Amino acid sequence: MAAMIRLFRSSSSSSSNSISLISRSLSTAAASETVKSQSYPHNPHSTSVDPKAKTVQWVFLGCPGVGKGTYASRLSTLLGVPHIATGDLVRDELKSSGPLSKQLAEIVNQGKLVSDEIILNLLSKRLESGEAKGEAGFILDGFPRTVRQAEILTEVTDIDLVVNLKLPERVLVEKCLGRRICSECGKNFNVASIDVAGENGAPRISMAPLNPPSQCVSKLITRADDTEAIVKERLSIYWDKSQPVEDFYRSQGKLLEFDLPGGIPESWPKLLEVLNLDEQEYKLSAAA
């Protein structure tokens, strides 16, 4: 804890409280029976995840629009641990009339990364809520985004595995520009039909659109920050910041690089395969 305080000695007292709460909440989760998956990056098939085990403590990395939320959410449901997405925390705060909403709106609309202080504040509130409900384990999505955040996380808990999802830039831009949200039901869709030829020996990537049902078609809206200029700016900022984070976890032997081969039908089975997870086994275990 002393190391974390030194890292944030120039921050406000509210930030220090956020760090303390993160430490307490994540340490509680770490004390639970946890699946250790550090062998995955070296040999994905060497260790299977026991469906009777209680928790995992994983991080999902990847560019904006790569699909971190989609796959982290699916694994969250399969493994029975909370999916904590900082992007969702930011969007929830934007919808509120809280003190951060106006400041966040300006940052997001300019395609900039949200500061460590704000992210830690939002994350601490989410962890406090989960702790009250008795949550254990987690899949973090969108955190850490900087080495500073990764160092804080290392101080407070033991991360088992870091999954880095990857797609070519052209595919990422098309995906982001195709995103739509139903203003009535709140569900997410994607109208982009992606078919990108592979380069330098890479396979072709095809993704069918995720079209809305008829009742949502007339109610679709586009996120304010999903313009080509802002998307490319977000990607540029992310790549500048992410490489040191990837190196941080690679040096610890915890980074698993996963190139998405296509949409969900193609990618989900292959992701389960490299994680050595048996979806049917988990479903049977959960039903028992």
Side-chain angles (χ1 to χ4, degrees), residues 2 8 10 12 21 30 43 68 98 115 128 136 145 155 157 179 206 214 220 233 245 253 257-258 285:
F8 277 80
S10 61
S12 66
L21 181 55
N43 184 358
K68 296 186 299 295
S115 70
E128 183 178 36
R145 285 190 174 182
E155 290 286 343
T157 194
R179 291 192 294 201
S206 297
S214 57
L220 294 183
E233 178 67 11
V245 178
E257 309 264 19
F258 184 73
S285 177

Side-chain angles (χ1 to χ4, degrees), residues 35-41 47-49 56 58 160-161 253-254:
V35 179
K36 297 298 178 187
S37 311
Q38 294 182 18
S39 58
Y40 283 144
T47 305
S48 62
V49 177
V56 297
W58 291 354
D160 305 319
L161 179 69
K254 295 183 178 182

Side-chain angles (χ1 to χ4, degrees), residues 28 44 48 92 204 208:
T28 299
S48 62
D92 289 343
R204 185 179 214 89

Side-chain angles (χ1 to χ4, degrees), residues 70-83 139 268 282 286:
T70 297
Y71 296 103
S73 178
R74 283 180 166 235
L75 286 167
S76 165
T77 300
L78 182 65
L79 300 173
V81 297
H83 166 218
I139 297 178
W268 176 240
Y282 269 85

Side-chain angles (χ1 to χ4, degrees), residues 40 44-49 271-278 282:
Y40 283 144
H45 300 283
S46 65
T47 305
S48 62
V49 177
L271 180 59
L272 291 177
E273 182 181 351
V274 299
L275 292 173
N276 208 10
L277 294 174
D278 187 324
Y282 269 85

Side-chain angles (χ1 to χ4, degrees), residues 7-158:
L7 283 170
F8 277 80
R9 64 173 53 176
S10 61
S11 300
S12 66
S13 59
S14 61
S15 293
S16 297
N17 291 336
S18 297
I19 296 167
S20 298
L21 181 55
I22 289 171
S23 176
R24 188 173 70 252
S25 300
L26 293 182
S27 296
T28 299
S32 303
E33 182 181 356
T34 304
V35 179
K36 297 298 178 187
S37 311
Q38 294 182 18
S39 58
Y40 283 144
H42 306 291
N43 184 358
H45 300 283
S46 65
T47 305
S48 62
V49 177
D50 180 3
K52 297 182 179 63
K54 292 180 181 178
T55 66
V56 297
Q57 296 185 171
W58 291 354
V59 166
F60 266 62
L61 301 179
C63 290
V66 76
K68 296 186 299 295
T70 297
Y71 296 103
S73 178
R74 283 180 166 235
L75 286 167
S76 165
T77 300
L78 182 65
L79 300 173
V81 297
H83 166 218
I84 302 176
T86 53
D88 290 342
L89 300 181
V90 168
R91 284 186 282 276
D92 289 343
E93 187 67 25
L94 282 168
K95 294 175 186 176
S96 74
S97 56
L100 291 176
S101 58
K102 184 176 180 181
Q103 182 182 358
L104 278 172
E106 293 176 357
I107 294 170
V108 171
N109 289 338
Q110 293 174 26
K112 296 179 179 178
L113 286 180
V114 180
S115 70
D116 286 353
E117 182 179 352
I118 293 175
I119 289 296
L120 286 167
N121 186 298
L122 296 175
L123 184 57
S124 69
K125 289 195 292 185
R126 170 60 183 84
L127 291 170
E128 183 178 36
S129 171
E131 185 181 28
K133 292 185 287 187
E135 288 180 350
F138 51 80
I139 297 178
L140 291 179
D141 161 10
F143 184 93
R145 285 190 174 182
T146 65
V147 171
R148 187 187 192 192
Q149 292 177 355
E151 289 170 342
I152 291 170
L153 195 57
T154 298
E155 290 286 343
V156 299
T157 194
D158 182 26

Side-chain angles (χ1 to χ4, degrees), residues 61 147 242-253 255 257:
L61 301 179
V147 171
S242 69
Q243 191 60 54
V245 178
E246 292 171 18
D247 291 342
F248 179 86
Y249 286 116
R250 187 180 289 111
S251 69
Q252 298 178 17
L255 187 71
E257 309 264 19

